[in-house]
Amino acid sequence: MAEPKSNELMEKIVSLCKRRGFIYQSSEIYGGINGFWDYGPLGAELKRHVKDAWWKTMVRLRDDVAGLEATIIMSPKIWQASGHVDTFSDPMIDCKTCKGRFRADQTDEIPCPQKPSKCVNECHGEKTEPRAFNLMFQTYVGPVQDDSSVAYLRPETAQAIFAQFKNVLETSRQRVPFGIAQIGKAFRNEVTPRNYTFRSREFEQMELEFFIRPDEVVEAICGGVAKPEGDGHPGDPQPNWGWQLWHKYWVEERIRFYEGIGLPRNTLVEYWQTRQELAHYARATVDILYKFPFSKRDEKGELKGEELEGIAARSDFDLSQHERFSGKPMGVFDEELRVAWKNLDQAKQDELWKRYYEARKGYLERSGVDAEQASKDATEDADGLARGQYIPHVIEPSAGVDRLILALIADAYSEVTETDPKGKSETRVILKFHPRVAPIKVAVLPLLKNKPELVAKAMQVFNTLRREMNAYYDDGGSIGRRYARQDEAGTPFCVTIDFETLEGMKDGEWAGQTDTVTLRHRDGGRQERVKISEVLPVLLERVR
Amino acid sequence: MAEPKSNELMEKIVSLCKRRGFIYQSSEIYGGINGFWDYGPLGAELKRHVKDAWWKTMVRLRDDVAGLEATIIMSPKIWQASGHVDTFSDPMIDCKTCKGRFRADQTDEIPCPQKPSKCVNECHGEKTEPRAFNLMFQTYVGPVQDDSSVAYLRPETAQAIFAQFKNVLETSRQRVPFGIAQIGKAFRNEVTPRNYTFRSREFEQMELEFFIRPDEVVEAICGGVAKPEGDGHPGDPQPNWGWQLWHKYWVEERIRFYEGIGLPRNTLVEYWQTRQELAHYARATVDILYKFPFSKRDEKGELKGEELEGIAARSDFDLSQHERFSGKPMGVFDEELRVAWKNLDQAKQDELWKRYYEARKGYLERSGVDAEQASKDATEDADGLARGQYIPHVIEPSAGVDRLILALIADAYSEVTETDPKGKSETRVILKFHPRVAPIKVAVLPLLKNKPELVAKAMQVFNTLRREMNAYYDDGGSIGRRYARQDEAGTPFCVTIDFETLEGMKDGEWAGQTDTVTLRHRDGGRQERVKISEVLPVLLERVR
């Protein structure tokens, strides 16, 4: 089904992003490189603000999250433990006629590179059987290139968090429940990068691994596990929360985050993965989708949305895998559990022991450990409960920075058509970014650039503001044109120093009474007089 | 010469960094991976503050610098143009006996991996001839692994700036002189990573490429080129600055930056590369060295220092190379030059034309263009001056984030020995970070954790402070112990809510008169009473 309107919008967005320096094609002067995108001056600021907002919300404003910044290249054993070496692949086929390589599920969609000269699009000539093509970029570390020096560019930031779990636990004074957060680049050698920056080969993630007590431990300590009730945010975390409430909590926290940086709830879709879609270790996964212009439509013609973030309840799978592969214990000691366990009656101990045992045994068997050994290991694991020991479970809110940037730009994009007194009409772009993420927070504009008093005052205001937020000084062209330029960059506020400002002067000194400026709001174009001393606090309140 | 004292200090630093969560070995649970380091919770905050300080100083507080965030994997043609494919290599030899591979200049330093069983350390058995080993990590992009899909992890962030020079120029309203700044990861497959995080294989750079007019253009416009006079900072940029003054300016600006985040000038060395050391295209390079504990010592026993940053005057080499390799024009149009040129007399035009021509011809010949063609191309380049066209020159201040972090930790490291009334003495660590970069800016401590009024007030103060800076709440242990814990983390300020604070209360409400807290300074341990309403502004002034 053709969707001319959406495609047209995407074309406008791509064009604007290039023209205003949000996004360029990587290596453009060399013809580009497929699946790689650079952020220009405005894009780099937008991205910084988004990442800073995430870090502030997820790390600095929380007592229960610690930050981490790990390397992109790690020991390849990490990717064996995580399953990426074995299973992170697409099935590919080669066409013997045109020598092209295609994803097995896309041979009908992807045009033949030599079409129509050598092979027919529909069949791609004679094909090989599908073979697994790993999506991790591979390289070699050290001077010798052999099997022992193979390494990978991380395909996700999450695994570094699991690998450093014990180090962070031991050095940060955190106790379960707590989280470890990381922002950083990840790489996937996508066969067909597409939809502009949405599916690219190099991208950035913002991931939190939030470690929680298994439900059996919560029950031992609190006497029961609270269950989710009704819709909406479940409120402040409570000791009797099990994985379901923690999962719900993080879904709602993350939606609040998106609302807080300007994506209205009605542009988002909360999609619960079906049992068939879930990874084998996942108990539940909610994808937060944004309705991009290029999203497919459902039967009713509504945009279905594409993933911005996945919030997965991953049980104890990841830490268990790293424990098995590294031989290093990944369990924690929990004094509250040790004390509580002693006070349980035998029947309760047996019941909790059995449930924990079954879960551990299930994991071990699914991981290929034989039944007898699994039973033995699971017994040992469950025995640990009495000593206050267990492997934490995890809730993982995992977001893509570049997708979010694209969603913010798409959502901010709007056009306004204005007709001048001569009847000539012009359509221009306004990017309605939330002040928290807007690349430039405020532009300072002297009404005229050839009036030294206006310029001096404007510079003074500008120098005060720029210390606290990203500000821009512009004295070129008519004031209307300068406003339009800022609208297109998504700047929420303009401060204009005009003749009314100067009326506050007396004998070259500032008398102070009417020391005001025009504060112009991007959205709606509203203008108000504000005292100079009020400008900074008024803006700070809105941009933070 | 043995340097036990320095080594001992490095050991203490490494141990502290692990213990307090500044730096961990990457992939530690899998035995680590040589040359890769992760930043733990305190390290990640320290690094964020350092990068934010650089970005604020170099981009946001300047009108003449635009930001960029480019990809790590770029078109491989970029690395052909930059010379990295051909020349970014170490000479390596293989030992036929032990099968080890060694840098040709280090065979005497590096122990044989199989020593002493198979070969002698001094000779490493029978050796091959030295072969070039490229330091760029190589990978393949796309589903087919062949010569056409080879790509590299960038060994520096600088080249992306050159490749996107025209895009930024055209979309950012900047004109020469102006700069483009970028922070990001870079990768070098060092044969022998060493000195902790100082020489690692994955690291982060903060680079500025500052584009300036060639001296001939400055002279055409301003009638002359100002020369550096005396020592110290040359002051605000002037239109008549040539490359020498711009170079000096950036050296001094960068030293100011280091001083501003707490590295005293006497810990830094301003090292001017000798003519023999300079790259062939560089006119001058100043390395800013920091006297690390592991630095070598000169004849007088003074630490010589290791490079934190290089500030190179790179002429027009980089843009010229990309123009040649991409076939895309990298020159700029400068209206002031066009106008000025017309007003020059013929003799002056000829003189400037000739100097510009000679410089261009010299570059082209050194780049392998034959004499006749070089002469033709250089004529065309010099003819452009009359139309206001030229290729900008560049000054490059290029800093390593990880080295700076290590320098800041080494510089902050100090010990204090205290003796308690019973005569028992204890030595503890104080990290004297500058408040601007300290991971935690302030800790908020209720004197006792079992006094609800103290706790409530402490939480209130904490919640106010944490919105503006990274703050930490700690109610565990004696107040002295909590101070010591913060000293070791490098927290410059502690705010203690004590009984004197509570004296400001009346009937459960705050009467306000004596609403004060103890502000404790890490350095010197000085304590002062400060009104609660004053705490935030007092701290903000010091941490920004």
Side-chain angles (χ1 to χ4, degrees):
Chain A
M1 188 172 69
E3 289 166 9
K5 214 173 158 194
S6 302
N7 288 340
E8 197 188 309
L9 176 54
M10 275 310 293
E11 275 166 33
K12 283 178 172 178
I13 288 172
V14 170
S15 156
L16 176 81
C17 283
K18 167 78 188 283
R19 181 161 52 83
R20 287 309 303 260
F22 282 95
I23 298 171
Y24 313 126
Q25 194 179 14
S26 169
S27 316
E28 188 187 307
I29 59 170
Y30 292 101
I33 173 168
N34 193 11
F36 296 86
W37 299 93
D38 291 351
Y39 291 86
L42 287 181
E45 292 295 346
L46 177 60
K47 213 175 167 199
R48 286 186 79 84
H49 288 131
V50 166
K51 290 190 281 183
D52 285 350
W54 189 90
W55 191 264
K56 186 173 180 183
T57 304
M58 302 294 272
V59 185
R60 290 194 180 160
L61 291 182
R62 298 191 67 99
D63 299 323
D64 56 1
V65 175
L68 180 71
E69 201 181 309
T71 52
I72 288 168
I73 293 178
M74 300 188 284
S75 166
K77 292 173 191 160
I78 286 179
W79 308 110
Q80 285 159 13
S82 70
H84 283 84
V85 169
D86 288 338
T87 62
F88 191 60
S89 56
D90 280 340
M92 302 291 293
I93 61 151
D94 290 331
C95 171
K96 293 180 180 171
T97 310
C98 74
K99 309 294 179 199
R101 183 167 283 180
F102 308 89
R103 254 174 64 179
D105 58 344
Q106 293 183 342
T107 50
D108 292 344
E109 295 170 34
I110 309 292
C112 169
Q114 302 196 8
K115 177 198 171 202
S117 60
K118 289 208 181 160
C119 70
V120 181
N121 189 26
E122 282 70 27
C123 75
H124 283 282
E126 193 189 341
K127 290 175 286 193
T128 63
E129 286 301 301
R131 283 175 300 191
F133 168 73
N134 198 293
L135 296 180
M136 289 194 290
F137 285 100
Q138 187 183 303
T139 190
Y140 296 95
V141 173
V144 182
Q145 294 198 358
D146 62 20
D147 286 354
S148 73
S149 62
V150 165
Y152 305 97
L153 307 193
R154 66 180 175 201
E156 59 175 42
T157 59
Q159 293 304 321
I161 295 177
F162 297 121
Q164 294 289 15
F165 168 71
K166 288 303 277 283
N167 267 337
V168 174
L169 179 71
E170 282 158 16
T171 62
S172 71
R173 309 191 77 231
Q174 293 284 356
R175 286 181 310 171
V176 175
F178 82 102
I180 304 174
Q182 179 168 232
I183 299 177
K185 287 276 180 100
F187 298 78
R188 295 181 189 177
N189 197 0
E190 297 284 351
V191 177
T192 43
R194 60 189 178 277
N195 289 331
Y196 199 26
T197 59
F198 181 82
R199 187 173 300 278
S200 54
R201 285 168 167 160
E202 176 175 338
F203 53 98
E204 198 153 11
Q205 292 188 305
M206 307 186 287
E207 294 197 304
L208 170 70
E209 304 298 330
F210 196 84
F211 300 96
I212 57 173
R213 290 165 165 160
D215 280 11
E216 297 80 27
V217 172
V218 174
E219 196 170 334
I221 294 170
C222 301
V225 175
K227 293 289 169 198
E229 281 170 27
D231 287 339
H233 197 293
D236 287 339
Q238 302 297 326
N240 66 351
W241 280 11
W243 72 266
Q244 284 180 301
L245 263 162
W246 273 113
H247 184 240
K248 188 166 179 46
Y249 169 83
W250 278 112
V251 171
E252 295 297 326
E253 282 287 300
R254 297 301 303 143
I255 289 175
R256 275 190 188 175
F257 172 80
Y258 290 116
E259 291 182 305
I261 58 171
L263 293 182
R265 191 139 186 156
N266 66 9
T267 65
L268 303 173
V269 178
E270 186 182 322
Y271 177 76
W272 287 71
Q273 289 191 8
T274 62
R275 188 174 284 265
Q276 288 72 35
E277 289 170 309
L278 283 177
H280 69 88
Y281 48 79
R283 293 185 161 176
T285 298
V286 169
D287 291 336
I288 298 177
L289 316 179
Y290 174 77
K291 295 172 186 171
F292 284 98
F294 53 75
S295 298
K296 295 209 173 76
R297 288 174 189 274
D298 64 16
E299 320 76 63
K300 293 180 198 156
E302 292 283 317
L303 289 170
K304 291 208 277 193
E306 302 287 335
E307 185 186 343
L308 284 184
E309 169 157 355
I311 298 132
R314 296 172 66 93
S315 72
D316 57 1
F317 173 75
D318 304 277
L319 289 180
S320 301
Q321 286 286 103
H322 286 294
E323 179 169 286
R324 279 211 305 132
F325 278 74
S326 72
K328 301 284 194 305
M330 285 289 158
V332 300
F333 169 71
D334 190 327
E335 172 69 8
E336 285 184 72
L337 171 60
R338 196 187 64 81
V339 171
W341 192 265
K342 284 193 291 197
N343 296 325
L344 298 177
D345 62 30
Q346 185 67 42
K348 194 70 194 174
Q349 285 182 352
D350 290 350
E351 181 207 330
L352 295 175
W353 187 98
K354 187 144 192 295
R355 267 161 47 201
Y356 192 78
Y357 165 85
E358 295 290 354
R360 293 296 304 161
K361 183 156 166 282
Y363 154 72
L364 290 163
E365 285 182 353
R366 281 194 304 278
S367 305
V369 177
D370 71 53
E372 196 182 342
Q373 187 65 38
S375 175
K376 206 176 136 203
D377 290 353
T379 300
E380 212 170 279
D381 291 343
D383 285 350
L385 294 175
R387 297 189 305 275
Q389 283 173 334
Y390 57 85
I391 294 186
H393 285 221
V394 72
I395 309 291
E396 176 191 88
S398 165
V401 181
D402 309 82
R403 293 169 170 205
L404 177 50
I405 297 296
L406 188 54
L408 288 168
I409 293 173
D411 203 70
Y413 190 95
S414 60
E415 292 178 349
V416 63
T417 302
E418 283 156 349
T419 309
D420 71 10
K422 293 175 192 162
K424 199 182 143 197
S425 70
E426 193 189 35
T427 297
R428 60 187 186 84
V429 175
I430 305 181
L431 286 183
K432 298 188 171 178
F433 291 125
H434 192 289
R436 286 207 187 98
V437 296
I440 302 167
K441 308 302 184 187
V442 58
V444 179
L445 320 170
L447 188 62
L448 299 172
K449 74 169 162 183
N450 54 6
K451 283 276 174 192
E453 309 97 300
L454 287 175
V455 169
K457 194 69 190 165
M459 285 307 298
Q460 184 190 323
V461 172
F462 177 56
N463 285 326
T464 305
L465 296 178
R466 77 183 331 186
R467 306 222 142 252
E468 307 293 332
M469 64 189 73
N470 202 25
Y472 188 83
Y473 184 86
D474 189 2
D475 61 9
S478 76
I479 196 76
R481 207 170 147 156
R482 279 180 273 166
Y483 286 151
R485 210 180 278 146
Q486 293 304 321
D487 284 349
E488 204 180 52
T491 308
F493 307 107
C494 290
V495 169
T496 305
I497 284 67
D498 49 28
F499 291 105
E500 214 177 316
T501 312
L502 296 189
E503 281 165 21
M505 283 189 80
K506 201 177 162 186
D507 303 332
E509 294 288 317
W510 291 99
Q513 302 93 328
T514 57
D515 206 6
T516 60
V517 293
T518 298
L519 178 62
R520 187 258 189 186
H521 298 253
R522 174 197 64 204
D523 301 340
R526 182 167 66 89
Q527 304 195 1
E528 54 177 330
R529 293 301 300 178
V530 176
K531 278 194 176 177
I532 286 182
S533 59
E534 292 294 311
V535 172
L536 180 59
V538 163
L539 295 186
L540 277 179
E541 200 180 302
R542 299 177 192 193
V543 304
R544 281 204 179 143
Chain B
M1 189 171 67
E3 290 165 8
K5 214 172 158 192
S6 301
N7 288 340
E8 195 187 311
L9 176 55
M10 275 311 292
E11 275 167 32
K12 284 177 172 179
I13 287 171
V14 170
S15 157
L16 176 82
C17 283
K18 167 79 189 284
R19 182 160 52 83
R20 287 308 305 258
F22 282 95
I23 298 170
Y24 313 127
Q25 195 181 14
S26 169
S27 316
E28 186 187 307
I29 60 171
Y30 291 101
I33 173 167
N34 192 11
F36 296 86
W37 301 93
D38 291 350
Y39 291 85
L42 288 181
E45 292 295 343
L46 177 60
K47 211 173 167 199
R48 286 185 80 82
H49 287 132
V50 166
K51 290 190 282 183
D52 285 351
W54 189 90
W55 192 262
K56 187 173 179 183
T57 305
M58 301 293 273
V59 185
R60 289 193 180 159
L61 291 182
R62 297 190 67 99
D63 299 323
D64 57 0
V65 175
L68 181 71
E69 200 181 310
T71 52
I72 289 167
I73 293 177
M74 300 188 285
S75 165
K77 292 172 191 161
I78 285 179
W79 308 112
Q80 285 160 13
S82 70
H84 284 83
V85 169
D86 288 338
T87 62
F88 191 59
S89 56
D90 280 341
M92 302 291 294
I93 60 149
D94 290 330
C95 170
K96 291 181 181 171
T97 310
C98 75
K99 309 296 180 196
R101 183 167 285 178
F102 308 88
R103 256 174 63 177
D105 57 344
Q106 293 182 342
T107 49
D108 293 342
E109 296 171 35
I110 308 292
C112 168
Q114 302 196 7
K115 176 197 172 199
S117 60
K118 290 205 179 163
C119 69
V120 180
N121 190 26
E122 282 69 26
C123 77
H124 283 282
E126 193 189 341
K127 290 175 282 191
T128 61
E129 286 300 300
R131 282 175 300 190
F133 168 73
N134 197 293
L135 296 180
M136 288 194 291
F137 285 101
Q138 187 181 301
T139 189
Y140 296 95
V141 172
V144 182
Q145 294 198 357
D146 62 20
D147 286 354
S148 73
S149 63
V150 165
Y152 305 97
L153 306 193
R154 64 181 177 200
E156 62 175 40
T157 59
Q159 292 304 321
I161 294 177
F162 297 121
Q164 294 290 15
F165 168 71
K166 288 302 278 280
N167 268 336
V168 174
L169 178 70
E170 282 158 15
T171 63
S172 71
R173 311 191 76 230
Q174 293 284 358
R175 286 182 310 173
V176 175
F178 82 103
I180 304 175
Q182 178 169 233
I183 299 177
K185 288 276 180 99
F187 298 78
R188 294 180 189 178
N189 197 1
E190 297 284 352
V191 178
T192 42
R194 61 188 178 276
N195 289 331
Y196 198 28
T197 58
F198 181 81
R199 188 174 299 278
S200 54
R201 285 168 167 160
E202 177 175 338
F203 54 98
E204 198 153 10
Q205 292 187 306
M206 307 187 286
E207 294 197 306
L208 170 69
E209 303 300 330
F210 196 84
F211 300 96
I212 58 174
R213 289 166 167 159
D215 279 11
E216 296 81 24
V217 172
V218 174
E219 194 170 336
I221 294 170
C222 301
V225 175
K227 293 287 168 199
E229 282 170 26
D231 286 338
H233 198 293
D236 286 341
Q238 302 298 326
N240 66 350
W241 281 10
W243 73 266
Q244 283 179 299
L245 263 162
W246 273 113
H247 184 241
K248 186 164 181 47
Y249 169 83
W250 278 114
V251 171
E252 295 298 326
E253 281 288 298
R254 297 303 303 143
I255 288 175
R256 276 191 187 176
F257 172 80
Y258 290 115
E259 290 182 305
I261 59 172
L263 292 183
R265 190 139 188 156
N266 65 9
T267 65
L268 302 173
V269 178
E270 185 182 321
Y271 176 77
W272 286 73
Q273 290 192 8
T274 62
R275 188 175 284 265
Q276 286 71 34
E277 289 169 311
L278 283 178
H280 68 87
Y281 48 80
R283 293 185 161 176
T285 298
V286 168
D287 291 335
I288 298 177
L289 316 180
Y290 174 78
K291 296 173 186 170
F292 284 98
F294 52 76
S295 298
K296 294 208 173 78
R297 288 174 189 273
D298 63 16
E299 319 74 65
K300 293 180 197 155
E302 293 282 317
L303 289 170
K304 291 208 277 190
E306 303 287 334
E307 185 185 342
L308 284 185
E309 170 157 356
I311 298 133
R314 296 172 65 92
S315 72
D316 57 0
F317 174 76
D318 304 276
L319 290 179
S320 300
Q321 286 287 101
H322 286 295
E323 178 169 287
R324 278 213 305 133
F325 277 75
S326 73
K328 302 285 194 305
M330 285 288 158
V332 300
F333 168 72
D334 190 327
E335 173 67 10
E336 285 185 72
L337 170 62
R338 195 187 65 81
V339 171
W341 192 264
K342 284 192 291 195
N343 296 326
L344 299 177
D345 62 31
Q346 186 68 41
K348 192 73 194 170
Q349 286 182 353
D350 290 349
E351 180 208 331
L352 294 175
W353 188 98
K354 187 144 192 295
R355 266 161 47 201
Y356 192 78
Y357 164 86
E358 294 290 355
R360 294 296 303 161
K361 183 156 166 282
Y363 155 73
L364 289 163
E365 285 182 354
R366 281 193 305 277
S367 305
V369 177
D370 70 53
E372 195 182 343
Q373 186 66 38
S375 174
K376 205 177 137 202
D377 290 351
T379 301
E380 213 170 278
D381 292 343
D383 284 351
L385 294 175
R387 297 188 306 274
Q389 281 172 337
Y390 58 85
I391 294 186
H393 286 222
V394 72
I395 308 291
E396 176 191 87
S398 164
V401 180
D402 309 83
R403 295 169 170 205
L404 177 51
I405 297 296
L406 188 55
L408 289 168
I409 293 174
D411 203 69
Y413 190 95
S414 60
E415 293 178 348
V416 63
T417 302
E418 284 155 350
T419 309
D420 70 10
K422 293 175 192 162
K424 198 182 145 198
S425 71
E426 193 187 35
T427 299
R428 60 187 186 83
V429 175
I430 306 180
L431 287 183
K432 298 188 171 179
F433 290 126
H434 191 288
R436 285 206 187 98
V437 296
I440 302 168
K441 307 301 184 189
V442 59
V444 179
L445 320 170
L447 187 63
L448 299 171
K449 76 168 160 182
N450 54 4
K451 284 277 174 194
E453 308 97 298
L454 287 176
V455 169
K457 195 69 190 168
M459 285 306 298
Q460 185 191 319
V461 172
F462 177 55
N463 285 326
T464 305
L465 296 178
R466 77 183 332 188
R467 306 221 141 253
E468 307 294 332
M469 65 189 72
N470 201 27
Y472 189 82
Y473 184 86
D474 189 1
D475 61 10
S478 75
I479 196 75
R481 206 169 148 156
R482 281 182 273 167
Y483 286 151
R485 209 180 277 146
Q486 292 304 320
D487 284 348
E488 205 181 53
T491 308
F493 308 107
C494 289
V495 169
T496 304
I497 284 67
D498 49 27
F499 290 106
E500 211 176 319
T501 312
L502 295 189
E503 281 166 20
M505 282 188 84
K506 200 177 164 188
D507 305 331
E509 295 288 316
W510 292 98
Q513 302 93 327
T514 58
D515 206 6
T516 60
V517 293
T518 298
L519 178 63
R520 187 256 187 187
H521 298 252
R522 173 198 64 205
D523 300 341
R526 182 166 66 88
Q527 303 195 1
E528 55 177 327
R529 294 302 299 178
V530 176
K531 279 194 176 176
I532 287 182
S533 60
E534 292 294 312
V535 172
L536 181 60
V538 163
L539 295 186
L540 277 180
E541 200 180 301
R542 296 175 195 195
V543 304
R544 282 208 178 138

